[in-house]
Amino acid sequence: MTERPGWAPGEVDIETPSAARMYDYYLGGSHNFAADRQLAEQAMAVWPDARHFATANRAFLRRVVKLLAGLGIDQFLDLGSGIPTVGNVHEVAQAANPKARTLYVDCDPVAYAHGSVLLADVPHARFLHADLRYPQAVLTSAQLTGFLDLSRPIAVLLFLALPFVPDEDDPAGTIAAYREATAPGSYIALTHGTGDYRPQAISEVRDVYEHASHSMTLRSKEGITQLLRGYELLEPGVVDTIRWRPDPDAPPDPLGGDVARYAMYAAVGARR
């Protein structure tokens, strides 16, 4: 048995690796347990670029939240958010508009426990413990309805969340439910891992995640595009994450712009 850290809530299972906490580990965070780190290391053994993958996803988060805040969006619903550590949605949004509101949603109990603590003294940012696969439960929760105004435009964010929604859970229907609940002028932004480039390595990573809290489903560019039906995609459409409106002032790409090593698509869509 792993010794329970003093900061870990007693009801949290620290023996079963969590996909959310593994991601925290890739980002260099400290809100993870030995089981999470062990499985993350197994994933990195077959996908050595996992840390760069996570960093590129976080860079896209910053670009798109800054963009949407500049377009007047002041409400953000971050689904499958993980732990809202430094540089997350609320910080980027509030840098552009101090009154911008962010609701993080995740079903991982540690993400919720620590997210709630991290946000306790942060104005206009809250955490909802819920599963994004049940949109009606999310959308009708008191935490959401008392905090976000769905009659006004909102940004729905799905950063590396949909790979953990298997086809049998109807990800297209899930996205459609959130789309229909939002007002015209709203947006969706997502990133999604893919097996389009390195199917063998991706298959091995997927096998590793079979031992985590959530298994992984990787989708093709065409499949990801189909999930976004009903939205008007902003240019340049569904593209490799590092090529979605890259920041000209960003440091040099550590992987030399090799999209195959990132194997991740990104897109932003508008609800008209």
Side-chain angles (χ1 to χ4, degrees), residues 219-249:
R219 297 181 172 95
S220 66
K221 182 177 182 179
E222 180 182 359
I224 295 165
T225 303
Q226 289 298 314
L227 293 177
L228 291 167
R229 284 189 296 183
Y231 285 100
E232 180 181 313
L233 296 184
L234 274 60
E235 292 293 336
V238 179
V239 297
D240 297 287
T241 300
I242 61 170
R243 291 182 176 171
W244 198 96
R245 303 193 185 187
D247 182 354
D249 298 321

Side-chain angles (χ1 to χ4, degrees), residues 3 5 26 49 84 118 141 176 181 200 205 215 223 229 241 247-248 259 267:
E3 182 178 352
Y26 298 145
D49 299 317
L118 290 169
S141 67
Q200 180 59 40
V205 173
S215 59
R229 284 189 296 183
T241 300
D247 182 354
V259 296

